[in-house]
């Protein structure tokens, strides 16, 4: 009889299950931790990762192991995942209150689960063959660095991996070139070195990939740079993942999911636009890829560079310089205030909408400014963070509104396909010919979305000509116009080629893009964002507007040739608001200082730590009952950390009902991050137990969000 070894396996168990973290199986040989295996689970066979190191002197427990189900097989040809990767996954699971198996499986390309052993073997063979393609080994063509870039690159080289860097550099200051140099230095110094470069949005990866390929392919071969994001097909993701895992890829570019890539030689991590909310996963395991990048950098002794023109207040605070009273933050702050080529930041113009004709979407001076740009052949960008034609349809006779029957939200009017669509649950209907409630045929759109803005601009600019006498061309980029594969790339290419004069768009086009011929950016209704109850609303709006402004006037030579100036226009009914005055002087540090002071006074992050517990049920009472019971259970059990954690009472969420599910949440706050962690860790099993009790049967789900971005 062959000896059997018990082995702990991480695998994906039914969603968020209470069954511990790992399952034990029996193996015929000792398997190295990190080995990918197939194991039986119920009637299925699933992918798993060997987790724990069997103790060296552990004899095969023939008796105990016989009771265990044997593993079905090992994924041949794939080296075990590195220890550092397992530690990262274990940390993320513990910190964000999820199971190891869930995080581990989500971090692996889906095809590892789906392919048969034969299919997988074929893929591995193909990957090996591709790896043989020789690298070109030509020296890359380098641009001369600006003085600021030079200095920052030197500071990073000198600081090595001791502590994370926050590269605070204006939009257009050439942060990407700094990343390229730091990656270059690491790769040149060590033939096994790898770099991870993250961007917040998929639509920023093609541009970045082009720059990295251009720089590194001549020297390290075309396969040296790979991407990783959710827009890729299964085979593409598997290919990138294998290339990173085998060390064949030297640079991985990707969105938040890339933070979990297996990178045995990882030495540099870049998080570009580190303030961006997209780094926080908003479903399933709610992790922050930026925060995990910091953790991973420390654990793997890799250099971490966070970059932004408008850093998150967390990172800004963490990089504060030392003073007499304060030893300073954990990060090192580096500053690049100037734009490349001495381009100036756009002049900010505030239009007081209380002094403008009522109902005008475009105030006369803004319209005149856009018109002038078109006539000079320059481009304008009009930003409105709301897609569709109008956020709601309304009947003036009976006050009917286009409410979603399944959510506590309006259905948005989309004129293009004459539909009403709920942006929360997706429920879609034809626009009714008359008021469904009283029959009034005149139902009216209330408020504006990008679709309406585009229509309005086409009308307003219909007699305006470009220098070549062609009529003005208006286009729109938002989630609706870019649904088809390749649509976004095509629209962005048109913008870069100058085929569009005025581009209307959502935040999608406000970030990151290196447009060269935009000289005017306008935010037409930014005030909406300030009505939110979220304490981060001002921070978020400031970032968005700063980023949007950063799309204008990026090419000093072009501005000079045109004899033009870059401008950022803001239409507001509250021109005195702190967000706008800070924007006018491009004074992020002053804005951050003022906001951080308020947060310190109010005991808000980054001076306190938070977690949200959410409960979903068919009724609000059921949802809240679970949270109340959870509170009570914590108090009765006298959980560790309870003294230092403040539990706020459960309340309905802002959008209380989505897809017929009532949602409630409860905020937890502590001045001590570890105390909050201890508490959550001890609390989790109680929540699982409660969930199983008959009186909480109506509960649909519960979940924990650690370091939530929105409350
Ligand atoms: P950021 O990411 O800071 O907004 P980018 O890295 O996109 O800025 O750089 C802005 C523009 O300046 C890009 O077109 C880039 O190619 C160019 N650039 C960057 N560094 C240099 C340099 N040292 N010399 C000339 N052009 C540069
Ligand atoms: Zn009506
Ligand atoms: Zn809905």
């Amino acid at each position: 009889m062959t000896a059997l070894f018990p082995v702990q396996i991480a695998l994906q168990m039914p969603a968020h299950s209470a069954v511990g973290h790992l399952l034990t199986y029996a193996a015929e040989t000792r398997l190295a931790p990190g080995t990918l295996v197939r194991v039986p689970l119920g009637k299925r066979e699933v992918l798993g990762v060997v987790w724990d190191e069997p103790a060296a002197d552990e004899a095969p427990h023939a008796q105990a192991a016989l009771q265990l189900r044997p593993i079905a097989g090992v994924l041949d040809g794939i080296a075990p995942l590195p220890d550092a990767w397992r530690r990262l996954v274990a940390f993320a699971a513990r910190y964000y209150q999820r199971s190891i198996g869930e995080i581990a499986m989500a971090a692996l390309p889906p095809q590892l689960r789906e392919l048969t052993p034969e299919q997988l073997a074929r893929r591995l063979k193909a990957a090996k063959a591709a790896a043989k393609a020789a690298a070109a080994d030509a020296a890359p063509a380098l641009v001369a660095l600006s003085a600021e870039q030079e200095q920052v690159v030197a500071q990073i080289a000198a600081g090595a991996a001791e502590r994370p860097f926050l590269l605070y550099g204006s939009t257009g200051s050439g942060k990407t070139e700094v990343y390229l140099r730091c990656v270059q230095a690491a790769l040149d110094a060590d033939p096994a070195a790898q770099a991870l470069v993250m961007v917040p949005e998929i639509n920023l990866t093609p541009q970045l990939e082009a720059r990295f390929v251009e720089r590194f392919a001549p020297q390290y071969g075309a396969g040296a740079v790979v991407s990783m994001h959710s827009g890729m097909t299964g085979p593409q993701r598997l290919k990138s993942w294998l290339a990173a895992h085998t060390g064949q890829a030297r640079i991985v570019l990707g969105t938040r999911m890339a933070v979990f890539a297996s990178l045995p030689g990882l030495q540099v991590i870049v998080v570009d636009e580190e303030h961006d909310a997209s780094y926080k996963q908003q479903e399933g395991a709610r992790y922050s890829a930026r925060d995990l990048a910091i953790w991973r950098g420390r654990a793997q002794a890799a250099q971490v560079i966070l970059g932004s023109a408008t850093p998150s207040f967390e990172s800004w605070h963490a990089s504060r310089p030392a003073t007499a009273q304060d030893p300073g933050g954990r990060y090192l702050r580096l500053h690049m205030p100037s734009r490349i080529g001495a381009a100036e930041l756009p002049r900010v113009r505030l239009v007081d909408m209380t002094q403008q004709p009522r109902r005008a979407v475009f105030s006369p001076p803004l319209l005149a400014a856009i018109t002038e740009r078109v006539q000079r052949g320059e481009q304008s960008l009009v930003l409105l963070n709301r897609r569709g034609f109008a956020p709601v349809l309304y009947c003036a006779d009976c006050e009917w509104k286009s409410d979603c029957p399944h959510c506590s939200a309006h259905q948005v009017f989309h004129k293009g396909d004459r539909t009403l669509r709920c942006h929360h649950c997706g429920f879609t209907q034809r626009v009714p010919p008359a008021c469904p409630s009283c029959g009034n045929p005149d139902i009216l759109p209330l408020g504006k979305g990008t679709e309406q803005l585009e229509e309005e601009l086409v009308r307003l600019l219909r007699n305006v000509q470009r220098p070549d006498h062609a009529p003005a061309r208006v286009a729109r980029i938002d989630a609706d116009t870019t649904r088809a594969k390749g649509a976004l790339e095509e629209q962005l290419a048109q913008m870069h080629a100058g085929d569009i004069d005025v581009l209307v768009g959502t935040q999608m086009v406000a970030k990151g893009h290196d447009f060269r011929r935009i000289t005017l950016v306008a935010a037409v209704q930014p005030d909406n964002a300030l009505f939110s109850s979220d304490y981060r609303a001002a921070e978020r709006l400031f970032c968005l507007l700063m980023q949007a402004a950063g799309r204008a006037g990026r090419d000093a030579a072009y501005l000079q040739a045109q004899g033009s100036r870059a401008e950022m226009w803001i239409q507001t009914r509250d021109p005195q608001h702190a967000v706008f005055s800070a924007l006018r002087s491009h004074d992020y540090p002053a804005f951050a200082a003022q906001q951080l002071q308020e947060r310190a006074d109010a005991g808000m992050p980054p001076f306190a730590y938070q977690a949200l517990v959410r409960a979903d049920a068919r009724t609000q009472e059921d949802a809240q009952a679970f949270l109340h019971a959870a509170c009570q259970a914590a108090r009765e059990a006298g959980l560790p950390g309870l003294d230092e954690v403040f539990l706020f009472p459960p309340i309905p969420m802002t959008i209380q009902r989505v897809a017929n599910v009532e949602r409630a949440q409860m905020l937890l706050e502590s001045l001590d991050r570890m105390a909050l962690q201890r508490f959550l860790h001890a609390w989790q099993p109680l929540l699982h137990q409660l969930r199983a009790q008959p009186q909480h049967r109506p509960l649909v789900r519960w979940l924990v969000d650690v370091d939530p971005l929105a409350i």
Side-chain angles (χ1 to χ4, degrees):
M1 188 190 96
T2 44
L4 290 175
F5 296 86
V7 55
Q8 304 245 69
I9 309 282
L11 43 78
Q12 174 79 71
M13 280 175 281
H16 207 200
S17 89
V19 192
H21 274 304
L22 305 163
L23 290 185
T24 308
Y25 287 84
E28 286 182 12
T29 54
R30 278 222 168 95
L31 294 174
T35 303
L36 287 161
V37 292
R38 289 193 182 78
V39 294
L41 182 71
K43 290 194 171 65
R44 294 175 308 142
E45 206 173 280
V46 300
L47 181 70
V49 181
V50 174
W51 210 255
D52 279 346
E53 183 120 64
D57 59 349
E58 201 170 320
H61 299 291
Q63 203 51 41
L66 272 180
Q67 322 279 328
L68 298 171
R69 297 181 78 176
I71 64 163
V74 171
L75 270 69
D76 288 321
I78 304 182
L81 288 147
D83 283 359
W85 182 86
R86 281 186 311 120
R87 284 201 302 276
L88 173 71
V89 166
F91 169 78
R94 194 171 63 241
Y95 189 82
Y96 294 106
Q97 308 291 316
R98 311 296 292 201
S99 77
I100 286 178
E102 179 189 10
I103 304 264
M105 289 310 120
L108 296 171
Q111 281 216 328
L112 278 185
R113 264 171 285 170
E114 294 154 7
L115 296 183
T116 64
E118 296 72 38
Q119 289 170 320
L120 189 60
R122 270 202 299 280
R123 293 293 170 77
L124 288 170
K125 217 166 130 193
K128 276 226 180 68
K132 289 221 180 76
D137 212 9
L142 296 180
V143 292
L145 293 182
S146 71
E148 287 175 7
Q149 287 171 326
E150 193 92 56
Q151 191 187 354
V152 158
V153 168
Q155 281 176 289
I156 294 175
E162 274 156 39
R163 47 179 180 157
F165 297 97
L166 175 67
L167 175 54
Y168 164 52
S170 298
T171 50
S173 61
K175 294 186 287 295
T176 311
E177 186 61 37
V178 171
Y179 308 150
L180 287 162
R181 292 298 176 100
C182 295
V183 169
Q184 174 99 49
L187 299 200
D188 288 353
D190 175 354
Q194 293 180 301
L196 169 63
V197 181
M198 290 196 285
V199 285
E201 305 226 358
I202 294 179
N203 77 55
L204 293 173
T205 51
Q207 184 184 331
L208 192 72
E209 189 174 349
R211 285 184 72 176
F212 272 79
V213 166
E214 183 193 14
R215 179 66 58 88
F216 292 105
Q219 189 177 359
Y220 294 111
V225 182
V226 300
S227 292
M228 240 179 235
H229 57 74
S230 59
M232 292 163 57
T233 64
Q236 288 169 335
R237 271 176 71 177
L238 178 62
K239 196 169 160 216
S240 291
W241 185 87
L242 283 171
H245 179 60
T246 56
Q248 180 204 337
R250 307 291 306 277
I251 300 162
V252 171
L253 306 176
T255 50
R256 60 175 179 257
M257 64 155 65
V259 78
F260 287 113
S262 166
L263 289 157
L266 184 62
Q267 289 195 10
V268 183
I269 307 177
V270 173
V271 185
D272 192 23
E273 315 289 1
E274 66 87 27
H275 61 274
D276 200 291
S278 309
Y279 283 118
K280 183 83 195 271
Q281 166 96 359
Q282 294 295 0
E283 52 195 37
R286 285 158 162 75
Y287 65 86
S288 157
R290 177 197 63 211
D291 296 351
L292 287 177
I294 297 279
W295 192 92
R296 187 172 188 179
R298 199 179 43 209
Q300 248 176 301
Q303 193 173 61
V304 180
I305 306 167
L306 309 180
S308 177
T310 53
S312 64
F313 289 162
E314 281 80 3
S315 300
W316 187 251
H317 181 65
S319 65
R320 68 198 181 281
T323 63
Q325 302 83 36
D326 175 7
R330 324 185 292 287
Y331 308 169
L332 196 65
R333 191 185 293 168
L334 309 170
H335 193 192
M336 296 202 301
S338 315
R339 285 187 141 181
I340 291 292
E344 279 173 37
L345 285 167
R347 187 149 69 110
V348 175
R349 313 209 32 178
L350 297 177
V351 182
D352 183 349
M353 293 306 273
T354 63
Q355 305 301 313
Q356 297 296 323
R358 280 193 65 217
R359 320 200 68 89
V361 197
F362 292 92
S363 59
L366 173 57
L367 186 62
I370 293 177
T371 303
E372 258 175 49
R373 296 303 194 288
V374 175
Q375 287 166 339
R376 287 204 300 260
E378 298 166 20
Q379 293 178 311
S380 301
L381 175 66
V382 175
L383 178 72
L384 179 66
N385 224 355
R386 199 200 280 139
R387 64 195 170 86
F389 189 86
V392 59
L393 280 186
Y394 171 75
C395 167
D397 284 359
C398 74
E399 305 208 322
W400 170 87
K401 281 187 174 148
S402 58
D403 292 330
C404 175
H406 309 295
C407 306
S408 40
H410 300 308
Q411 279 185 294
V412 176
F413 172 40
H414 289 258
K415 194 173 178 183
D417 55 5
R418 308 281 317 163
T419 57
L420 290 175
R421 273 190 245 156
C422 174
H423 289 184
H424 298 278
C425 72
F427 182 70
T428 303
Q429 282 171 304
R430 304 278 308 160
V431 169
C435 171
S437 158
C438 76
N440 170 13
D442 284 331
I443 40 179
L444 307 166
L446 268 192
K448 318 275 175 204
T450 46
E451 206 183 348
Q452 189 171 167
L453 237 52
E454 181 191 17
E455 189 182 286
E456 188 86 357
L457 272 173
V458 167
R459 189 177 64 78
L460 293 169
L461 299 175
R462 65 192 179 284
N463 295 321
V464 177
Q465 292 185 351
R466 299 153 35 98
D468 62 3
H469 304 295
R473 283 165 300 187
V474 180
R476 166 168 61 100
I477 294 186
D478 58 26
D480 294 322
T481 67
T482 54
R483 208 149 279 154
K485 195 159 171 53
L488 177 62
E489 287 79 358
E490 198 183 313
Q491 289 165 345
L492 287 174
Q494 286 177 357
M495 189 66 188
H496 286 292
D499 295 341
I500 296 170
D501 302 304
V502 184
L503 179 64
V504 176
T506 53
Q507 45 89 21
M508 236 171 151
V509 288
K511 317 177 191 176
H513 297 284
D514 192 20
F515 298 120
R516 309 301 286 173
R517 269 179 277 185
I518 293 183
T519 58
L520 180 148
V521 174
V524 288
Q525 284 183 348
D527 294 350
N528 296 325
L530 292 171
F531 298 145
S532 154
S533 57
D534 196 317
Y535 71 96
R536 280 192 171 90
E539 175 185 3
R540 262 200 295 267
L541 179 62
F542 182 82
C543 277
L544 179 64
L545 295 178
M546 256 321 238
Q547 290 293 329
R551 297 319 106 208
R554 295 175 70 84
D555 191 336
Y558 175 72
L559 281 179
Q560 203 169 16
Q562 288 289 106
S564 184
R565 277 205 66 158
E567 287 179 340
M568 167 89 199
W569 285 67
I570 292 173
Q571 301 192 139
T572 172
R573 305 185 71 82
D574 186 4
Q576 308 306 327
H577 197 287
V579 167
F580 303 130
S581 41
L583 202 69
R584 182 141 63 174
S585 47
H586 298 285
D587 199 346
Y588 169 84
F591 180 65
Q594 176 251 329
Q595 293 277 313
L596 279 167
Q597 188 57 53
E598 278 181 21
R599 301 238 186 126
D601 294 344
M604 302 285 251
F607 304 96
Y609 299 90
Q610 297 180 328
L612 279 178
V613 186
R614 197 176 104 191
D616 293 358
R618 289 288 162 210
T619 69
Q620 185 61 220
E621 295 84 73
D622 286 333
Q624 292 197 17
F626 178 78
L627 297 177
H628 281 294
C631 260
Q632 203 183 345
R635 296 220 165 84
E636 279 167 10
L639 293 188
L642 194 55
D643 295 344
E644 290 147 286
V645 177
F646 189 81
L647 286 74
F648 287 82
I651 51 167
M653 288 183 64
T654 317
I655 297 174
Q656 183 174 331
R657 190 167 49 104
V658 168
N660 295 321
V661 171
E662 286 283 334
R663 305 155 353 135
Q665 70 179 24
M666 191 173 116
L667 179 65
L668 282 66
E669 207 172 73
S670 177
L671 294 175
D672 180 348
R673 186 177 227 156
M674 291 320 294
L676 181 59
Q677 277 289 314
R678 273 198 305 280
F679 176 80
L680 289 172
H681 202 70
W683 202 24
Q684 204 186 22
L686 299 187
L687 291 167
H688 282 295
Q689 281 166 26
L690 271 183
R691 170 79 181 92
Q693 286 176 7
Q695 70 268 35
H696 296 301
R697 285 278 296 283
L699 198 71
V700 176
R701 70 180 73 83
W702 63 272
L703 56 93
V704 179
D705 185 350
V706 182
D707 305 330
L709 277 190
I711 294 173

